[in-house]
Amino acid sequence: MFKNKIFILIVSILIAITLILTAAFVLWNFMEKNNQSKDPAVQAQEAVASVKPTKAPSAEAKKANTAIIKDILTNLSGSQNFIKISFAFELENSKGKAEFDSLLDSAVKGTIVQALGDLTKDQIEGSKGSDSLISTLMNKLNPLLHEGKIKQIWITDKVLQ
């Protein structure tokens, strides 16, 4: 009878510890999500900060790791306006560029068109609009990549009408 009471006590303690650890884990994840910023510019800065620093690449290396998308033409949200835009995406390594190139015609262009379709003419005009678009694209495209991350996005051409 004594052994049976000890066994029940040990099992009860283990269950209590498991419940406490589970509650702590859930609470930790909840608090971590609350600490994340909703601002796309801050999210983009955090994503870029996670890119590992290396020595400055040469111009040839930058060119080799840059993907160019030319002349995406789409309507803007809620109006008769449209945009024709071109981008240059610098990736952190050649594996990342190869993966980006394989996703280019499907996921990348689709994400760009979707992001542009959510914006109005007023939201995309000027340097603040361009920065906001770049931040949004970086936040949406970096999770698609596993072999490398996007270091920089440049808008190389933009016609807004």
Side-chain angles (χ1 to χ4, degrees):
M1 182 132 176
F2 182 68
K3 292 180 182 179
N4 195 13
K5 286 182 182 180
I6 292 176
F7 178 74
I8 292 173
L9 181 65
I10 290 174
V11 169
S12 299
I13 291 172
L14 288 176
I15 291 173
I17 290 172
T18 304
L19 289 174
I20 291 171
L21 289 176
T22 303
F25 178 75
V26 169
L27 185 62
W28 179 270
N29 284 339
F30 178 73
M31 296 298 281
E32 191 69 28
K33 287 181 184 175
N34 283 345
N35 289 339
Q36 292 178 350
S37 175
K38 302 289 185 204
D39 184 22
V42 174
Q43 289 177 346
Q45 288 174 350
E46 290 171 357
V48 170
S50 69
V51 174
K52 299 169 192 71
T54 58
K55 65 178 185 171
S58 65
E60 292 83 19
K62 280 188 174 188
K63 185 176 181 181
N65 291 335
T66 300
I68 296 174
I69 298 177
K70 291 187 178 184
D71 300 334
I72 293 178
L73 180 65
T74 189
N75 292 333
L76 296 175
S77 177
S79 67
Q80 297 296 326
N81 297 318
F82 65 90
I83 187 167
K84 182 178 180 184
I85 193 164
S86 300
F87 296 98
F89 295 87
E90 182 186 349
L91 290 104
E92 65 182 352
N93 57 38
S94 58
K95 288 181 182 178
K97 182 178 185 298
E99 182 182 20
F100 186 85
D101 287 341
S102 69
L103 295 171
L104 189 63
D105 288 329
S106 58
V108 174
K109 285 186 180 178
T111 302
I112 292 170
V113 169
Q114 180 184 18
L116 289 170
D118 290 340
L119 298 174
T120 63
K121 183 178 179 183
D122 294 335
Q123 291 173 324
I124 201 163
E125 286 182 325
S127 62
K128 279 189 174 184
S130 295
D131 289 343
S132 176
L133 175 62
I134 288 170
S135 298
T136 301
L137 289 177
M138 193 168 291
N139 291 333
K140 289 184 175 185
L141 292 174
N142 265 333
L144 299 175
L145 302 173
H146 302 291
E147 297 293 325
K149 297 293 179 198
I150 298 171
K151 285 174 53 175
Q152 183 71 38
I153 300 174
W154 290 281
I155 296 175
T156 57
D157 186 30
K158 179 169 86 169
V159 177
L160 185 61
Q161 189 167 343

